[in-house]
Amino acid sequence: MARTDRLMRLMDVMRRLPAPVTAGRLAQETGVSLRQLYRDIATLRAAGALIDGEAGLGYTLTEDPALPPQSFSRLEIEALCLAVDALSGIGDDELTDAAQTALSRIIATLPERQAQQALHAIMRSFTEAPEREPPQVDLATIRHACWNELTLRINYTDLTGAPSTRDIWPLGLSYTHRTLMLLAYCRLRMDYRIFHINRIAALALTGESFRPRRAALVRDYAEARKACTDRAYAASGVNIAVDVSQE
């Protein structure tokens, strides 16, 4: 884990757990040795974080200067809580956990009254869990490839049942209650395609980068989609969204 990510995770743990938190518990939660934990505490203190306590007594985070005080209306707080809660109905576990961590981080910076409102927000999602096949591949690898503009090689079975191996430039994941899909530029078809994640049997990074094409590809896809939608609307009088080919 990168040093910055490790320190941020340590701050998150200290916000979530009842204080004071023992060094052993902090080390366990962050996945580091006690020696590394003590070094990380010292690093945070040197950066300005006010952390009370010491080894053998436990630690308490009394102030986090990395995040300025924030203020939200009660409706905004409920909207954030609902959005994070609803994500569990369409997102994967890793994405849902990240959203919950981010919400905890936001709540930790709120004034006490607003923090209490967030903890007792009345807005909740009652959406049933999605009935969709779990992915056979690691979504973290797909996200990594999207963020870093890396080519993926996938073993894929299309909607007609035909298998293929192809190299793709992954552009982004799309979530719905029924399916999880990946928008990509397919090097085999030389065009945009939407792949159903649960139809990808295997994937691997090829080591080839397609940087800096991603921004232009996403922009061109958005423009093409809008043009198709406009043409469909002009022809029928109904606002119909037109998707790129699904396989």
Side-chain angles (χ1 to χ4, degrees):
M1 182 185 299
R3 178 173 177 270
T4 301
D5 292 341
R6 190 179 70 246
L7 294 176
M8 185 172 292
R9 183 173 181 179
L10 175 56
M11 296 289 275
D12 288 337
V13 171
M14 296 184 73
R15 293 188 194 102
R16 288 188 291 102
L17 297 181
V21 192
T22 65
R25 179 69 185 278
L26 289 173
Q28 179 183 14
E29 291 285 336
T30 55
V32 300
S33 66
L34 277 175
R35 178 176 297 181
Q36 183 62 60
L37 186 279
Y38 295 140
R39 286 199 292 261
D40 288 346
I41 291 288
T43 299
L44 290 174
R45 282 172 166 168
L50 298 184
I51 301 175
D52 293 335
E54 57 185 279
L57 298 177
Y59 296 94
T60 301
L61 177 65
T62 60
E63 182 179 334
D64 180 2
L67 293 173
Q70 302 183 71
S71 181
F72 296 92
S73 69
R74 184 155 196 162
L75 187 60
E76 290 171 337
I77 291 172
E78 293 194 350
L80 287 170
C81 292
L82 176 62
V84 171
D85 190 62
L87 185 60
S88 62
I90 59 174
D92 58 274
D93 291 343
E94 185 180 31
L95 189 65
T96 301
D97 289 345
Q100 291 172 343
T101 298
L103 182 61
S104 297
R105 191 178 301 158
I106 291 172
I107 292 174
T109 69
L110 295 175
E112 182 177 355
R113 179 179 61 84
Q114 292 183 327
Q116 288 299 316
Q117 291 174 355
L119 293 175
H120 298 90
I122 61 173
M123 297 299 293
R124 287 291 182 268
S125 168
F126 296 99
T127 303
E128 295 182 2
E131 296 182 1
R132 63 187 184 203
E133 295 181 32
Q136 306 175 62
V137 294
D138 183 19
L139 293 180
T141 300
I142 296 178
R143 289 196 182 94
H144 174 73
C146 290
W147 294 337
N148 295 283
E149 300 174 61
L150 300 173
T151 302
L152 284 174
R153 180 164 297 151
I154 63 173
N155 294 339
Y156 190 73
T157 302
D158 67 19
L159 295 176
T160 69
S164 63
T165 298
R166 58 182 83 187
D167 289 357
I168 62 172
W169 293 341
L171 303 177
L173 290 165
S174 174
Y175 294 84
T176 72
H177 288 284
R178 293 188 300 273
T179 186
L180 174 59
M181 296 179 288
L182 171 65
L183 171 65
Y185 188 86
C186 178
R187 305 294 302 282
L188 177 65
R189 307 300 187 197
M190 297 303 290
D191 201 357
Y192 296 99
R193 288 293 186 270
I194 291 178
F195 298 98
H196 292 248
I197 295 294
N198 61 5
R199 290 179 169 272
I200 302 177
L203 60 80
L205 296 168
T206 67
E208 175 193 358
S209 172
F210 62 97
R211 183 171 292 172
R213 297 183 180 92
R214 183 174 183 272
L217 287 168
V218 172
R219 182 183 62 248
D220 291 347
Y221 167 73
E223 291 175 353
R225 180 186 173 102
K226 182 178 184 303
C228 287
T229 302
D230 290 345
R231 286 197 298 270
Y233 176 77
S236 66
V238 178
N239 192 3
I240 301 173
V242 179
D243 270 324
V244 72
S245 296
Q246 296 186 26
E247 295 204 356

